[in-house]
Short mmCIF file of all heavy atoms in Angstrom, two decimals:
data_model
loop_
_atom_site.label_atom_id
_atom_site.label_comp_id
_atom_site.label_asym_id
_atom_site.label_seq_id
_atom_site.Cartn_x
_atom_site.Cartn_y
_atom_site.Cartn_z
N ALA A 1 0.83 -1.20 0.00
CA ALA A 1 0.00 0.00 0.00
C ALA A 1 0.87 1.26 0.00
O ALA A 1 2.09 1.18 0.19
CB ALA A 1 -0.91 0.00 1.23
N ASP A 2 0.22 2.40 -0.15
CA ASP A 2 0.98 3.66 -0.19
C ASP A 2 1.62 4.02 1.15
O ASP A 2 2.50 4.87 1.21
CB ASP A 2 0.14 4.81 -0.75
CG ASP A 2 -1.05 5.17 0.11
OD1 ASP A 2 -1.18 4.68 1.24
OD2 ASP A 2 -1.87 5.98 -0.38
N ASP A 3 1.21 3.34 2.22
CA ASP A 3 1.86 3.56 3.53
C ASP A 3 2.89 2.45 3.83
O ASP A 3 3.37 2.34 4.95
CB ASP A 3 0.82 3.64 4.64
CG ASP A 3 0.00 2.36 4.80
OD1 ASP A 3 0.25 1.38 4.04
OD2 ASP A 3 -0.88 2.34 5.66
N LEU A 4 3.19 1.63 2.83
CA LEU A 4 4.14 0.51 2.87
C LEU A 4 3.64 -0.71 3.64
O LEU A 4 4.38 -1.67 3.80
CB LEU A 4 5.51 0.96 3.39
CG LEU A 4 6.19 2.05 2.57
CD1 LEU A 4 7.54 2.43 3.19
CD2 LEU A 4 6.37 1.63 1.13
N ASP A 5 2.38 -0.69 4.09
CA ASP A 5 1.79 -1.88 4.69
C ASP A 5 1.41 -2.87 3.59
O ASP A 5 1.21 -2.50 2.44
CB ASP A 5 0.53 -1.52 5.48
CG ASP A 5 0.84 -0.98 6.86
OD1 ASP A 5 1.98 -1.16 7.34
OD2 ASP A 5 -0.06 -0.37 7.47
N ASP A 6 1.26 -4.13 3.98
CA ASP A 6 0.81 -5.15 3.04
C ASP A 6 -0.69 -5.01 2.79
O ASP A 6 -1.46 -4.65 3.70
CB ASP A 6 1.08 -6.55 3.59
CG ASP A 6 2.55 -6.91 3.59
OD1 ASP A 6 3.34 -6.24 2.89
OD2 ASP A 6 2.91 -7.89 4.28
N ILE A 7 -1.09 -5.32 1.57
CA ILE A 7 -2.50 -5.42 1.18
C ILE A 7 -2.67 -6.85 0.65
O ILE A 7 -1.88 -7.29 -0.18
CB ILE A 7 -2.86 -4.43 0.06
CG1 ILE A 7 -2.66 -3.00 0.48
CG2 ILE A 7 -4.30 -4.65 -0.41
CD1 ILE A 7 -2.89 -2.00 -0.65
N THR A 8 -3.71 -7.54 1.13
CA THR A 8 -3.96 -8.90 0.66
C THR A 8 -5.39 -9.01 0.14
O THR A 8 -6.23 -8.14 0.40
CB THR A 8 -3.79 -9.92 1.80
OG1 THR A 8 -4.84 -9.73 2.76
CG2 THR A 8 -2.42 -9.78 2.48
N LEU A 9 -5.65 -10.07 -0.57
CA LEU A 9 -7.00 -10.31 -1.07
C LEU A 9 -7.98 -10.39 0.11
O LEU A 9 -9.11 -9.89 0.02
CB LEU A 9 -7.04 -11.60 -1.89
CG LEU A 9 -8.38 -11.98 -2.50
CD1 LEU A 9 -8.87 -10.90 -3.47
CD2 LEU A 9 -8.27 -13.31 -3.22
N LEU A 10 -7.56 -10.97 1.19
CA LEU A 10 -8.41 -11.11 2.37
C LEU A 10 -8.89 -9.76 2.91
O LEU A 10 -9.98 -9.65 3.47
CB LEU A 10 -7.67 -11.89 3.46
CG LEU A 10 -8.47 -12.26 4.71
CD1 LEU A 10 -9.68 -13.12 4.33
CD2 LEU A 10 -7.59 -13.01 5.69
N ASP A 11 -8.11 -8.70 2.70
CA ASP A 11 -8.51 -7.37 3.15
C ASP A 11 -9.80 -6.89 2.49
O ASP A 11 -10.45 -5.97 2.98
CB ASP A 11 -7.41 -6.34 2.87
CG ASP A 11 -6.16 -6.57 3.70
OD1 ASP A 11 -6.27 -7.12 4.81
OD2 ASP A 11 -5.07 -6.21 3.21
N PHE A 12 -10.18 -7.52 1.39
CA PHE A 12 -11.36 -7.09 0.64
C PHE A 12 -12.50 -8.10 0.73
O PHE A 12 -13.46 -8.03 -0.03
CB PHE A 12 -10.98 -6.84 -0.82
CG PHE A 12 -9.88 -5.82 -0.95
CD1 PHE A 12 -8.57 -6.23 -1.14
CD2 PHE A 12 -10.15 -4.47 -0.81
CE1 PHE A 12 -7.54 -5.30 -1.23
CE2 PHE A 12 -9.13 -3.54 -0.89
CZ PHE A 12 -7.83 -3.95 -1.10
N ALA A 13 -12.40 -9.04 1.67
CA ALA A 13 -13.44 -10.06 1.85
C ALA A 13 -14.80 -9.38 2.07
O ALA A 13 -14.90 -8.40 2.81
CB ALA A 13 -13.10 -10.96 3.03
N GLY A 14 -15.82 -9.87 1.39
CA GLY A 14 -17.17 -9.32 1.52
C GLY A 14 -17.41 -8.09 0.67
O GLY A 14 -18.49 -7.50 0.72
N GLN A 15 -16.41 -7.68 -0.11
CA GLN A 15 -16.57 -6.54 -1.01
C GLN A 15 -16.30 -6.99 -2.44
O GLN A 15 -15.57 -7.95 -2.68
CB GLN A 15 -15.57 -5.43 -0.67
CG GLN A 15 -15.77 -4.83 0.70
CD GLN A 15 -14.70 -3.78 0.98
OE1 GLN A 15 -13.53 -4.09 1.02
NE2 GLN A 15 -15.13 -2.54 1.16
N LYS A 16 -16.88 -6.26 -3.39
CA LYS A 16 -16.52 -6.46 -4.79
C LYS A 16 -15.20 -5.74 -5.02
O LYS A 16 -14.99 -4.64 -4.50
CB LYS A 16 -17.60 -5.90 -5.70
CG LYS A 16 -18.95 -6.56 -5.52
CD LYS A 16 -20.00 -5.82 -6.33
CE LYS A 16 -21.37 -6.09 -5.76
NZ LYS A 16 -22.36 -5.16 -6.31
N LEU A 17 -14.33 -6.36 -5.80
CA LEU A 17 -13.00 -5.80 -6.01
C LEU A 17 -12.70 -5.75 -7.50
O LEU A 17 -12.84 -6.75 -8.21
CB LEU A 17 -11.95 -6.66 -5.30
CG LEU A 17 -10.49 -6.25 -5.44
CD1 LEU A 17 -10.24 -4.86 -4.85
CD2 LEU A 17 -9.59 -7.29 -4.78
N VAL A 18 -12.29 -4.58 -7.96
CA VAL A 18 -11.82 -4.40 -9.33
C VAL A 18 -10.32 -4.17 -9.26
O VAL A 18 -9.87 -3.22 -8.63
CB VAL A 18 -12.50 -3.20 -10.02
CG1 VAL A 18 -11.95 -3.02 -11.44
CG2 VAL A 18 -14.02 -3.36 -10.04
N LEU A 19 -9.56 -5.06 -9.89
CA LEU A 19 -8.12 -4.87 -10.01
C LEU A 19 -7.86 -4.16 -11.33
O LEU A 19 -8.06 -4.74 -12.41
CB LEU A 19 -7.39 -6.21 -9.96
CG LEU A 19 -7.55 -7.03 -8.69
CD1 LEU A 19 -6.87 -8.38 -8.84
CD2 LEU A 19 -7.01 -6.27 -7.49
N ASN A 20 -7.48 -2.90 -11.26
CA ASN A 20 -7.12 -2.11 -12.43
C ASN A 20 -5.60 -2.18 -12.52
O ASN A 20 -4.90 -1.46 -11.81
CB ASN A 20 -7.61 -0.67 -12.25
CG ASN A 20 -7.22 0.24 -13.39
OD1 ASN A 20 -7.11 -0.19 -14.53
ND2 ASN A 20 -7.01 1.51 -13.09
N ILE A 21 -5.10 -3.08 -13.36
CA ILE A 21 -3.67 -3.38 -13.42
C ILE A 21 -3.08 -2.66 -14.63
O ILE A 21 -3.66 -2.69 -15.72
CB ILE A 21 -3.45 -4.90 -13.55
CG1 ILE A 21 -4.17 -5.64 -12.42
CG2 ILE A 21 -1.98 -5.25 -13.59
CD1 ILE A 21 -4.39 -7.13 -12.67
N PHE A 22 -1.93 -2.02 -14.44
CA PHE A 22 -1.31 -1.28 -15.53
C PHE A 22 0.19 -1.12 -15.31
O PHE A 22 0.68 -1.35 -14.21
CB PHE A 22 -1.98 0.09 -15.71
CG PHE A 22 -2.13 0.89 -14.45
CD1 PHE A 22 -1.06 1.57 -13.90
CD2 PHE A 22 -3.35 0.96 -13.80
CE1 PHE A 22 -1.20 2.31 -12.74
CE2 PHE A 22 -3.51 1.71 -12.65
CZ PHE A 22 -2.42 2.38 -12.11
N PRO A 23 0.92 -0.67 -16.36
CA PRO A 23 2.38 -0.56 -16.24
C PRO A 23 2.88 0.51 -15.28
O PRO A 23 3.73 0.25 -14.44
CB PRO A 23 2.84 -0.25 -17.67
CG PRO A 23 1.72 -0.68 -18.55
CD PRO A 23 0.47 -0.51 -17.73
N SER A 24 2.37 1.75 -15.41
CA SER A 24 2.88 2.84 -14.57
C SER A 24 1.86 3.96 -14.46
O SER A 24 1.31 4.41 -15.46
CB SER A 24 4.18 3.41 -15.14
OG SER A 24 4.59 4.53 -14.36
N ILE A 25 1.65 4.42 -13.26
CA ILE A 25 0.71 5.51 -12.98
C ILE A 25 1.12 6.80 -13.70
O ILE A 25 0.29 7.67 -13.95
CB ILE A 25 0.58 5.75 -11.46
CG1 ILE A 25 -0.64 6.59 -11.12
CG2 ILE A 25 1.81 6.40 -10.88
CD1 ILE A 25 -1.81 5.81 -10.70
N ASP A 26 2.39 6.92 -14.06
CA ASP A 26 2.90 8.14 -14.68
C ASP A 26 2.84 8.12 -16.21
O ASP A 26 3.62 8.81 -16.87
CB ASP A 26 4.34 8.41 -14.22
CG ASP A 26 4.36 8.94 -12.78
OD1 ASP A 26 3.50 9.76 -12.43
OD2 ASP A 26 5.25 8.52 -12.02
N THR A 27 1.95 7.32 -16.78
CA THR A 27 1.75 7.33 -18.22
C THR A 27 0.30 7.74 -18.51
O THR A 27 -0.58 7.52 -17.67
CB THR A 27 2.05 5.95 -18.85
OG1 THR A 27 1.17 4.98 -18.28
CG2 THR A 27 3.50 5.55 -18.60
N PRO A 28 0.04 8.33 -19.66
CA PRO A 28 -1.29 8.91 -19.92
C PRO A 28 -2.45 7.92 -19.80
O PRO A 28 -3.46 8.24 -19.16
CB PRO A 28 -1.17 9.44 -21.36
CG PRO A 28 0.28 9.69 -21.55
CD PRO A 28 0.99 8.64 -20.74
N THR A 29 -2.36 6.75 -20.40
CA THR A 29 -3.48 5.81 -20.37
C THR A 29 -3.71 5.26 -18.97
O THR A 29 -4.85 5.11 -18.53
CB THR A 29 -3.26 4.67 -21.38
OG1 THR A 29 -2.97 5.24 -22.67
CG2 THR A 29 -4.49 3.79 -21.49
N CYS A 30 -2.63 5.00 -18.25
CA CYS A 30 -2.75 4.50 -16.88
C CYS A 30 -3.40 5.55 -15.99
O CYS A 30 -4.27 5.24 -15.16
CB CYS A 30 -1.39 4.09 -16.34
SG CYS A 30 -0.56 2.83 -17.34
N ALA A 31 -2.98 6.79 -16.15
CA ALA A 31 -3.56 7.89 -15.38
C ALA A 31 -5.05 8.04 -15.70
O ALA A 31 -5.88 8.22 -14.80
CB ALA A 31 -2.81 9.18 -15.68
N THR A 32 -5.39 7.93 -16.98
CA THR A 32 -6.80 8.04 -17.39
C THR A 32 -7.63 6.93 -16.77
O THR A 32 -8.74 7.19 -16.28
CB THR A 32 -6.91 8.00 -18.93
OG1 THR A 32 -6.20 9.13 -19.46
CG2 THR A 32 -8.35 8.05 -19.39
#
């Protein structure tokens, strides 16, 4: 995570989860 803690699939139990996977946040399409 952005605070350097671990994030696991279990952290989202009971919620719908969308994994938006991309190369780099600093590119136009990824940012969009």
